[in-house]
Amino acid sequence: MSQRIGNVGLLNLVNATEESIKEIERIENAGLVLYGKENAHLLTKLNIGNIGASLEIPAGFRLFNGVFHLNQNYLSSIADPVFLLVNGIVLIDQDVQPDQVQAGQLNLMVNGKVYCPSHLSGFVGNMLSKGTGEVETYDGAPPRLEDGKFTLTNSFLQSIDESLYLVVNGLLTFAEDLNLDQFNEKINKLEVNGKISLYENQETYLYKKAASLATCKVEVFPAGYEVLEKPLRLNARSIRRFQQKKWYTHKPMIIESDVSREMLTKAIEKIHSTSVIICCEEVEDLVYELLSLMETEVLSYESKFILIEGKEIWSNDQFQALDQAANFIVNGQLVLDKDVNEEALRSKVSTLDILGEVVVREKKLKGVLQNFIRLNTGTIEEERSKHETGVALQNVGELTL
């Protein structure tokens, strides 16, 4: 049976053969592809959509994923030459001496970065294969590495005994109450591969400490705004606890029909949203006045709406059970079951907003749905195009063929 694969972080073809790849129908994206000289031709036989980088591996090299700590004890313990491909980071400790680096016992290929103490900057090239590994030098203590989501807080700064070189691979968030004088004192250098989220008043301090912002996206929150991390649903009861709030969000915001114009005006001063706002037609004009971004989508409903956020399969009986036509908002995946007919859609769907995906099991229903679409930034697919013969894998960290 053929196999289709979505995204592969590392595709290892070093030991691949014609036989081992014959069941692979397609790979959509591969971050890094490793191959040997003798099987380089297999790259052209695999149907790969996008390749981030490819690297030919000489015979005898072993693969290491992650952070490789290189210290004096490790180098002293090497009896025979070691050939290593590091897919990640090489962190060289301060105790490593130039003669150990020049000994030639350790040979490195690096797909990533090498952090090296300044006294070894002229020697570390002896260990690295030509053209691999970006070298970054440091003084004092080695960089502190953080992966995933990391929040820079006052408690973290207070725990630092000496000035720190901080490297974050993922998302770095500045706490709103971060002591910026202490940040300036405790953080010697900052490097982020991914994304940084911070407030306007913190932006200047970031640029003073950032080694480079070429490998990350910076998101700046406007002053005075509260950042919403989850979708917000407001009704006549819950909205009472808010007074002239300014909200910044990437998540959907839902305003129920029982929220009056007066309640909305008292509770919210401004909304900065890159997502959608769902509200009753009665307050739609007020919502537009609250927006700080012109491109924010406002999806209004007359009396009833249904929001699809995950994956839901709707049958004909489910549609018929609705007491009135509804505005359908698909932010996830809506699958129409085989028994869903044209009559049910025409009588129970008022409008259709597609932010995610709608899957139909009958081709003619695609045409019917076109009559209800108000907003379409997603897709409508036939089921057979989504479930072709073969096994589908969506995301694979490392794949060896």
Side-chain angles (χ1 to χ4, degrees), residues 146-152 168-173 229 251:
E146 296 287 346
D147 292 326
K149 294 181 179 180
F150 182 75
T151 301
L152 201 54
V168 178
N169 296 300
L171 170 63
L172 172 65
T173 302
E229 300 292 347
K251 304 293 185 180

Side-chain angles (χ1 to χ4, degrees), residues 319-330:
F319 281 105
Q320 296 293 358
L322 297 175
D323 56 5
Q324 59 184 310
N327 297 75
F328 277 74
I329 302 168
V330 182

Side-chain angles (χ1 to χ4, degrees), residues 100-339:
Q100 292 180 300
V101 173
Q102 292 179 296
Q105 290 292 84
L106 179 61
N107 301 272
L108 295 176
M109 295 183 72
V110 181
N111 178 56
K113 206 156 189 178
V114 179
Y115 293 96
C116 162
S118 297
H119 72 274
L120 294 178
S121 59
F123 307 97
V124 71
N126 295 326
M127 288 193 307
L128 300 176
S129 294
K130 186 177 180 180
T132 69
E134 178 187 350
V135 179
E136 185 79 35
T137 60
Y138 69 88
D139 295 300
R144 172 162 174 165
L145 307 177
E146 296 287 346
D147 292 326
K149 294 181 179 180
F150 182 75
T151 301
L152 201 54
T153 63
N154 290 326
S155 297
F156 174 76
L157 293 177
Q158 290 164 10
S159 70
I160 300 173
D161 295 325
E162 57 181 309
S163 188
L164 181 67
Y165 181 178
L166 179 63
V167 179
V168 178
N169 296 300
L171 170 63
L172 172 65
T173 302
F174 281 50
E176 187 175 4
D177 64 345
L178 190 69
N179 186 322
L180 295 175
D181 290 332
Q182 197 168 50
F183 168 78
N184 199 44
E185 175 190 347
K186 294 294 186 75
I187 302 297
N188 173 44
K189 193 175 181 181
L190 181 63
E191 181 182 326
V192 179
N193 303 301
K195 182 179 178 181
I196 303 172
S197 295
L198 75 170
Y199 290 84
E200 279 180 335
N201 64 310
Q202 301 166 337
E203 196 173 1
T204 302
Y205 290 83
L206 166 68
Y207 293 130
K208 288 180 181 179
K209 297 296 182 179
S212 171
L213 296 177
T215 58
C216 71
K217 175 184 177 183
V218 179
E219 179 181 33
V220 181
F221 303 137
Y225 278 72
E226 181 181 336
V227 180
L228 301 179
E229 300 292 347
K230 298 179 180 179
L232 181 65
R233 195 169 192 133
L234 296 172
N235 56 38
R237 180 185 293 272
S238 63
I239 201 171
R240 293 175 186 170
R241 55 185 170 152
F242 303 116
Q243 293 291 325
Q244 290 298 287
K245 284 288 186 178
K246 292 182 178 180
W247 281 319
Y248 185 103
T249 181
H250 296 304
K251 304 293 185 180
M253 180 180 292
I254 300 169
I255 302 172
E256 300 280 7
S257 59
D258 61 352
V259 174
S260 68
R261 297 173 68 87
E262 182 183 4
M263 289 176 178
L264 194 61
T265 304
K266 286 183 178 180
I268 306 174
E269 181 181 344
K270 214 70 180 171
I271 302 172
H272 185 108
S273 172
T274 58
S275 184
V276 296
I277 299 177
I278 302 167
C279 67
C280 183
E281 289 178 352
E282 294 294 324
V283 298
E284 183 180 7
D285 61 320
L286 281 181
V287 171
Y288 275 111
E289 292 177 12
L290 297 173
L291 299 179
S292 61
L293 294 177
M294 291 185 64
E295 59 267 30
T296 302
E297 293 286 356
V298 178
L299 306 178
S300 63
Y301 59 91
E302 184 177 354
S303 55
K304 184 181 182 67
F305 73 91
I306 293 174
L307 177 63
I308 310 291
E309 292 188 283
K311 178 180 178 180
E312 294 189 23
I313 301 175
W314 275 60
S315 67
N316 203 67
D317 287 343
Q318 283 176 281
F319 281 105
Q320 296 293 358
L322 297 175
D323 56 5
Q324 59 184 310
N327 297 75
F328 277 74
I329 302 168
V330 182
N331 198 35
Q333 185 186 64
L334 171 62
V335 180
L336 301 186
D337 215 343
K338 290 180 180 179
D339 64 347

